[in-house]
Amino acid sequence: MTSVDAFDLKILSALQDDGRLTNQELAELAGLSASQCSRRRMRLEEERVIAGYHADLSSEALGFGVIAFIQVGLATHSPDNSKRFRALVGRIDEIQEAYSLTGDADYVLKAVLRDLKGLSNLVNDVLMPHQSVAHVRSSIVLDRLKESSRLPLKELKAG
Amino acid sequence: MTSVDAFDLKILSALQDDGRLTNQELAELAGLSASQCSRRRMRLEEERVIAGYHADLSSEALGFGVIAFIQVGLATHSPDNSKRFRALVGRIDEIQEAYSLTGDADYVLKAVLRDLKGLSNLVNDVLMPHQSVAHVRSSIVLDRLKESSRLPLKELKAG
DNA sequence: GTCCCGTTTGCACGCTCCTTGCGCGCCCAA
DNA sequence: TTGGGCGCGCAAGGAGCGTGCAAACGGGAC
């Protein structure tokens, strides 16, 4: 069973802020010994509470100037069509996130691109012509107020 | 100057897939020696091409069952009001991402919550009553096709 | 072609860090 | 009170890290 106590929460919280933390640094933050942190960390990885570790790269430094949200409506809602669309989305590296939502649009995609030409290419040459897709509407990100993937672990201590 | 060559790209690509890679593992993947990988990695961290390392936690395992996109319109577009709203967004841990977009809504937020009660609380008790906010429309994520924050580095090799 | 200089590389070494075995203390049930 | 199970810290062996150093590479100047 996956039970997570207060020590685990401290470890998880610290690691989602800095995934390269040493077990000894972790130990200080959590109030445990390094060896125990190592054991707990390994258990959390084993149980897939920690799904992985990733370097966070600077999109600016690497020349990705455009983030866009793309709302996509499918041509039909058949399982086959849906499957085709999912395969397409999975294949395109520029698409970081893809969700189906309640509300108007069938799907919302978040894409990262070098420039507007890249977005145009994605929308007009890849998404639009695909047989599964009926209509596409894209919005460009003007300003990024906040971007992370941290879970609000503080909520768990209380509840 | 921030120049990134093919070796750096291999290193960056490997590290955004697995941020815990050893310099020796990196060395094998990139075709370099471990010490050289260490040096390059340190340079990339120094130049903030690598912005950080983060553990990727399982929202399912930790009981976060609801992801929502929230479209927010501000009451006025004065600099003061915008500033207040940004401060609010920065303060709320449940909001992972926040952008201002072209198109209808002023802002789009992505929030992670334990359940619909959490969403209701965020929308009705936190966002709606805030003086900077005029109207709020939320969409709940039904299915997550894809979720990562990997940059499409492959594009850089060619261009 | 040749020389020179700056850059990048691989190797070696000292140091830190990781992980596993071990023994101890705590808690709960009998 | 006693016994078993669990979680802890400590210590040691082994792996990994980063710096110093010398060699190889590459590009200009002549």
Side-chain angles (χ1 to χ4, degrees), chain A:
Chain A
M1 179 53 198
T2 299
S3 65
V4 173
D5 66 9
F7 286 126
D8 291 329
L9 278 181
K10 282 190 185 178
I11 291 173
L12 292 172
S13 176
L15 283 176
Q16 79 173 338
D17 280 345
D18 182 357
R20 281 266 178 180
L21 280 175
T22 287
N23 284 329
Q24 321 198 24
E25 296 167 314
L26 227 42
E28 281 195 38
L29 293 172
L32 281 175
S33 70
S35 57
Q36 197 56 18
C37 283
S38 172
R39 273 187 281 254
R40 279 172 178 267
R41 198 167 52 74
M42 284 190 295
R43 183 177 64 83
L44 292 167
E45 290 166 6
E46 186 69 26
E47 290 174 348
R48 309 254 56 186
V49 178
I50 297 177
Y53 299 91
H54 304 285
D56 174 20
L57 306 185
S58 160
S59 50
E60 292 84 2
L62 291 165
F64 292 94
V66 173
I67 304 173
F69 282 89
I70 307 173
Q71 299 188 308
V72 176
L74 292 199
T76 79
H77 287 192
S78 70
D80 247 33
N81 208 34
S82 169
K83 205 158 130 191
R84 269 196 295 273
F85 180 70
R86 283 157 194 267
L88 176 69
V89 162
R91 204 180 315 131
I92 301 174
D93 291 332
E94 285 85 351
I95 299 176
Q96 286 189 338
E97 308 178 28
Y99 309 94
S100 79
L101 293 188
T102 63
D104 337 297
D106 294 336
Y107 293 95
V108 171
L109 318 178
K110 180 183 160 204
V112 190
L113 304 137
R114 281 159 75 56
D115 46 36
L116 290 177
K117 197 160 73 84
L119 176 58
S120 164
N121 177 63
L122 174 62
V123 170
N124 295 316
D125 302 344
V126 179
L127 293 178
M128 288 290 301
H130 196 263
Q131 54 185 341
S132 67
V133 173
H135 60 88
V136 172
R137 197 161 65 86
S138 56
S139 305
I140 298 165
V141 168
L142 298 173
D143 193 12
R144 202 169 1 159
L145 282 67
K146 191 175 195 178
E147 191 172 55
S148 80
S149 50
R150 290 194 187 84
L151 297 179
L153 296 181
K154 280 168 198 160
E155 307 307 313
L156 297 181
K157 292 173 187 171

Side-chain angles (χ1 to χ4, degrees), chain B residues 36-96:
Chain B
Q36 196 58 15
C37 283
S38 171
R39 273 188 280 254
R40 281 172 178 268
R41 198 167 51 74
M42 284 190 295
R43 183 176 64 83
L44 292 167
E45 291 166 3
E46 185 69 26
E47 290 174 348
R48 308 255 57 187
V49 177
I50 298 176
Y53 300 89
H54 305 284
D56 175 21
L57 307 185
S58 160
S59 50
E60 292 83 4
L62 291 165
F64 293 94
V66 173
I67 305 173
F69 282 89
I70 308 173
Q71 299 187 307
V72 176
L74 293 199
T76 77
H77 286 193
S78 69
D80 247 34
N81 208 34
S82 168
K83 203 158 130 191
R84 268 195 295 271
F85 180 68
R86 281 156 196 266
L88 175 68
V89 162
R91 202 182 316 130
I92 302 173
D93 291 332
E94 285 84 352
I95 299 177
Q96 286 188 337

